[in-house]
Amino acid sequence: MSDILEQRLIELFHHPKIQGCNWQPRLFWHPAADGSAFGALRVDGRELEVFFATIIGEASTEQAALDQEEDSRGRFIAANARRHELPLFTRR
């Protein structure tokens, strides 16, 4: 996964709409060795980007590629977000 995507995920996570969901970073990330909350991802970063972007009403940078490579997986994740459902993400 690219550093750009990792940075985007952290920025999206700090968005007020995501923070309003009261999710802890450990739901999506392993803690880093230095004790910070954002270490290695537990879930597929592209799926998480689609999910977060949909929640905040922003265009996803990953959905089209995910749809093409994973048989509409991006649309499925986006639909879950619109229904306020936490999907079963692909584990990393």
Side-chain angles (χ1 to χ4, degrees):
M1 181 172 50
S2 74
D3 290 341
I4 295 169
L5 179 56
E6 288 182 24
Q7 185 60 37
R8 176 162 168 73
L9 289 172
I10 293 170
E11 289 170 7
L12 290 171
F13 184 81
H14 286 103
H15 189 280
K17 286 187 178 180
I18 303 297
Q19 290 296 297
C21 295
N22 270 339
W23 293 319
Q24 297 300 311
R26 68 179 173 268
L27 183 61
F28 308 110
W29 285 271
H30 293 284
D34 66 3
S36 66
F38 301 101
L41 278 167
R42 293 179 184 268
V43 300
D44 183 298
R46 296 181 310 160
E47 291 179 3
L48 190 57
E49 190 278 339
V50 171
F51 186 67
F52 285 168
T54 302
I55 289 173
I56 66 172
E58 195 174 288
S60 169
T61 60
E62 303 296 321
Q63 185 173 346
L66 195 57
D67 282 341
Q68 184 176 6
E69 294 170 25
E70 300 290 333
D71 195 27
S72 299
R73 179 82 174 147
R75 286 190 308 185
F76 172 76
I77 298 290
N80 277 257
R82 285 190 297 275
R83 289 190 304 264
H84 307 284
E85 298 173 349
L86 187 61
L88 182 60
F89 293 105
T90 303
R91 304 282 281 169
R92 290 199 59 198

